[in-house]
Amino acid sequence: MIKKIVVSACLLLSLVSFAQEGTSSPYSFYGIGDVRFRGTLENRSMGEIAIEQDSIHMNLQNPASYANLKLTTFTLGGTHATTKLKTDTETANARRTTLDYLAVGLPLGKWGVGFGLIPYSSVGYKISSVSDDPAVNNRRFNGSGGMNKAFLGVGYKITPNFNIGADVSYNFGKIETNNFEYITDISIGTRELNTVDLSGVNFNLGMMYKTKINKKTSFFSSVNYSLESTLKTENTRNISTALYNSNFDLSIVDVLDDVKTEKNFKIPSKYTAQAGIGEARKWLVGVGYTFQGAGFLDNSYNSLDNVTYEKHSKYSIGGYYIPNYNSFSSYAKRLVYRAGFRFENTGLVINSEPIEDMALTVGLGMPLTGTFSNVNIGLEFGKRGTTAANLVEENYANVSVSFSLNERWFEKRKFN
């Protein structure tokens, strides 16, 4: 059954990952867009904590975790996001529904393999700048696209308590930005269209360790390191004059020859360390820290004098609680209750203001009776940006759903 679901879902996500606008943030104009969390909803609901050596849930953050899997695992997640954007003078609302990830994990004794597809970054914004001064041009900006990540990883269990792992990702995608300038009551304007094709490879190394503190309580830890990588870009700039109507549908009047350039983005190395304590299948509390150097993310279509990139950092805390995971009399006691908090300095600085992001997360894991599979629901309430320095503050509420389906593969039948 899972094999049929995997094939269908892979085809679906392959198509949707190219077409979906995964964000409505004006900050997605900068760099490679709005970088998405690489992890499952189960971890996201705990403030992005992922330290337990779980045998039925995939941990996409650390490839060492694949060695813990005991069953073939298929996981799929999606989010409906509602965002309120505000400045000192205006407010607006936006909604998006996206697929977040699709992955498969295979247990192979002391080894484990994981592979899948993740939308890595998203671009999606529509902004108008209208002036009452007839001598000043009005402008409309919009952007779409993003980058996807196809990955393959392997984990190995050196001892029952210590794993190592590595994965390789192929990054690919396209970003399109459109800048249209016009004068009120004149039905012709100038359009600048930028199309950027992205591609590159990066590597991620990880290890996980656990040890007993006492009879019930254990210490868990996770470390992973993403190597610095290069994203190649092929840029095409097209400038034209265009007619427009009240809906800003454009009809090209005259167009200049395309200008093609190549320039690389530099994605800096990233280090994540997490640790915590807990009782397996009962409770867990963990903390985490992520550090990433400043990237080189300026390109011909998004380079501005008032924008810089600094070091990125993130602090997380979260955990889960299960009243009684093997209760026969009460389904509610078998539910997994999750919660967490994170604070992030995104590394983006505009008008000398660092753009920060913070969120409170809660979640619920619902086991499917008679199986090891489960359905998960998560809520995330957060704030990004600020209204200071003529910037935009985003207050968002995300509702997410994921499926973690488990089945035995590669098992020799005793009876035909």
Side-chain angles (χ1 to χ4, degrees):
M1 179 63 180
I2 290 184
K3 296 177 184 178
K4 295 180 180 178
I5 296 175
V6 169
V7 173
S8 301
C10 285
L11 293 173
L12 175 64
L13 187 58
S14 297
L15 294 173
V16 174
S17 61
F18 288 106
Q20 67 178 351
E21 285 188 15
T23 182
S24 54
S25 172
Y27 295 118
S28 67
F29 168 82
Y30 305 100
I32 57 173
D34 188 3
V35 177
R36 312 271 286 274
F37 168 59
R38 176 182 173 161
T40 64
L41 174 58
E42 296 92 301
N43 302 140
R44 185 176 174 185
S45 297
M46 297 189 292
E48 303 182 5
I49 295 297
I51 54 176
E52 191 173 29
Q53 297 190 15
D54 200 317
S55 62
I56 61 171
H57 294 91
M58 289 193 71
N59 173 359
L60 304 181
Q61 296 172 259
N62 193 329
S65 67
Y66 303 148
N68 299 314
L69 293 174
K70 300 301 182 185
L71 299 172
T72 297
T73 301
F74 166 71
T75 185
L76 170 72
T79 296
H80 178 74
T82 301
T83 306
K84 181 178 181 180
L85 303 99
K86 67 177 183 178
T87 65
D88 286 333
T89 58
E90 297 183 57
T91 62
N93 296 303
R95 293 179 175 85
R96 292 288 188 275
T97 300
T98 61
L99 284 171
D100 295 333
Y101 56 86
L102 178 151
V104 177
L106 304 175
L108 301 172
K110 289 187 176 184
W111 296 85
V113 174
F115 59 90
L117 183 64
I118 301 174
Y120 179 74
S121 71
S122 298
V123 175
Y125 58 87
K126 294 180 180 179
I127 303 171
S128 294
S129 176
V130 180
S131 174
D132 294 330
D133 185 351
V136 177
N137 287 1
N138 302 316
R139 305 180 73 180
R140 291 176 65 90
F141 306 88
N142 64 278
S144 61
M147 189 170 73
N148 304 291
K149 180 184 291 287
F151 69 92
L152 172 65
V154 60
Y156 179 71
K157 188 173 287 293
I158 296 178
T159 72
N161 295 328
F162 181 55
N163 301 354
I164 59 173
D167 66 35
V168 58
S169 300
Y170 174 65
N171 306 308
F172 62 97
K174 177 179 290 187
I175 295 173
E176 185 174 282
T177 65
N178 192 1
N179 174 14
F180 183 65
E181 294 193 25
Y182 65 99
I183 299 174
T184 304
D185 297 329
I186 297 179
S187 59
I188 193 168
T190 302
R191 184 194 72 171
E192 178 186 314
L193 176 65
N194 291 284
T195 303
V196 184
D197 291 300
L198 306 159
S199 63
V201 176
N202 73 284
F203 298 89
N204 183 40
L205 309 174
M207 64 180 184
M208 302 184 76
Y209 176 74
K210 67 178 181 179
T211 186
K212 283 284 189 180
I213 297 176
N214 55 43
K215 185 176 180 180
K216 290 186 176 181
T217 308
S218 297
F219 170 80
F220 301 93
S221 63
S222 170
V223 175
N224 58 290
Y225 177 72
S226 298
L227 281 68
E228 181 182 278
S229 61
T230 298
L231 273 177
K232 296 181 179 179
T233 71
E234 296 180 358
N235 311 311
T236 302
R237 172 170 290 176
N238 175 278
I239 297 177
S240 61
T241 55
L243 291 169
Y244 69 96
N245 58 24
S246 58
N247 295 322
F248 285 87
D249 297 321
L250 303 184
S251 299
I252 302 302
V253 176
D254 193 15
V255 60
L256 298 178
D257 292 336
D258 289 345
V259 177
K260 296 181 180 293
T261 59
E262 294 184 2
K263 185 176 180 179
N264 294 339
F265 284 130
K266 187 71 69 175
I267 308 299
S269 58
K270 182 169 69 173
Y271 173 83
T272 300
Q274 299 183 350
I277 60 172
E279 181 182 343
R281 297 181 294 278
K282 183 66 177 181
W283 64 272
L284 177 75
V285 176
V287 295
Y289 173 70
T290 298
F291 173 81
Q292 186 173 28
F296 299 94
L297 302 175
D298 286 334
N299 208 311
S300 58
Y301 71 96
N302 68 358
S303 179
L304 297 172
D305 293 336
N306 64 332
V307 177
T308 58
Y309 299 92
E310 64 178 12
K311 295 177 181 179
H312 164 276
S313 61
K314 178 167 57 181
Y315 303 87
S316 303
I317 183 171
Y320 73 79
Y321 174 70
I322 308 173
N324 186 354
Y325 82 96
N326 61 358
S327 174
F328 290 101
S329 60
S330 174
Y331 180 78
K333 290 183 178 180
R334 290 189 282 125
L335 297 177
V336 184
Y337 301 89
R338 304 183 177 101
F341 176 80
R342 61 173 174 81
F343 175 83
E344 182 176 0
N345 179 359
T346 64
L348 175 64
V349 181
I350 307 175
N351 295 338
S352 300
E353 286 285 337
I355 305 304
E356 297 175 343
D357 188 355
M358 65 182 72
L360 175 68
T361 60
V362 293
L364 189 67
M366 299 175 289
L368 300 179
T369 303
T371 72
F372 290 101
S373 301
N374 52 86
V375 178
N376 303 278
I377 298 175
L379 301 175
E380 185 176 35
F381 305 95
K383 181 177 79 72
R384 175 166 55 178
T386 175
T387 57
N390 297 317
L391 298 179
V392 178
E393 179 181 299
E394 302 173 3
N395 294 280
Y396 56 87
N398 299 331
V399 181
S400 303
V401 178
S402 75
F403 300 89
S404 182
L405 308 178
N406 299 273
E407 192 174 272
R408 292 190 182 276
W409 287 8
F410 314 117
E411 191 174 73
K412 186 176 181 181
R413 296 176 181 269
K414 293 184 178 180
F415 303 98
N416 291 321

